[in-house]
Amino acid sequence: MELDRNGNSVFLLHYHLILVVKYRRKIFDDQISDRAKEVFEYMAPDYNIKLRKWNYDKDHIHILFKAHPNTGISKFISAYKSESSKLLKQEFPQIQQKLWEDYFWSQSFCLLTAGGASVEIIKNYIESQGENR
């Protein structure tokens, strides 16, 4: 396992982000997903984020990414939703026919932490510390 580093810390922070189209409208196809991914990859370095995996269904996207401890994740998600919504509606006018009013993304999102060890393994590790004192 390769850990990330900055000046004073070592870390490995993976997140699973799920973004849903408002009212679960079926917007995504390969071309629109690819463009949404390009926007993500363009914006991510400014927030110390690195895309690891991307996939989509017709009404939502799944993103696995790495981040630094100082990353403002909610700020990034908000900025990404705003910028991608604007660009996708401009570049794919057919999207407007499927949307309700001007809304692209649902206001909410799902963000899950992801790592190499389950919570149960970490709990057991912490509980076992100091047993050999």
Side-chain angles (χ1 to χ4, degrees):
M1 166 174 41
E2 188 174 325
L3 300 174
D4 294 323
R5 302 171 190 284
N6 63 17
N8 57 0
S9 59
V10 177
F11 51 90
L12 183 60
L13 302 172
H14 283 97
Y15 296 91
H16 177 192
L17 174 63
I18 304 164
L19 297 177
V20 178
V21 176
K22 185 80 170 182
Y23 301 117
R24 308 265 331 192
R25 304 287 193 206
K26 295 180 181 348
I27 301 292
F28 285 101
D29 58 21
D30 288 343
Q31 188 178 18
I32 294 170
S33 172
D34 288 347
R35 182 62 176 126
K37 181 180 175 183
E38 287 174 2
V39 174
F40 187 96
E41 290 176 316
Y42 176 78
M43 295 178 67
D46 291 340
Y47 292 84
N48 289 319
I49 287 175
K50 182 173 180 173
L51 178 65
R52 297 298 305 251
K53 190 73 175 167
W54 179 282
N55 206 348
Y56 75 95
D57 203 342
K58 294 189 181 301
D59 62 357
H60 66 279
I61 57 175
H62 289 266
I63 306 164
L64 179 65
F65 66 91
K66 286 174 40 172
H68 285 227
N70 63 348
T71 298
I73 294 175
S74 62
K75 287 181 182 179
F76 170 75
I77 293 169
S78 179
Y80 172 73
K81 286 169 66 175
S82 176
E83 188 66 15
S84 63
S85 172
K86 180 179 80 172
L87 291 173
L88 292 173
K89 288 185 290 188
Q90 284 175 357
E91 297 173 20
F92 302 95
Q94 71 272 22
I95 288 175
Q96 284 298 133
Q97 300 166 3
K98 297 180 180 180
L99 297 177
W100 186 74
E101 292 188 4
D102 199 31
Y103 300 108
F104 187 91
W105 295 112
S106 172
Q107 185 176 1
S108 59
F109 59 86
C110 178
L111 181 67
L112 307 165
T113 56
S118 70
V119 172
E120 202 57 41
I121 290 171
I122 295 169
K123 284 170 50 178
N124 289 340
Y125 173 77
I126 291 170
E127 288 172 1
S128 71
Q129 295 304 295
E131 288 181 354
N132 295 329
R133 284 187 252 170

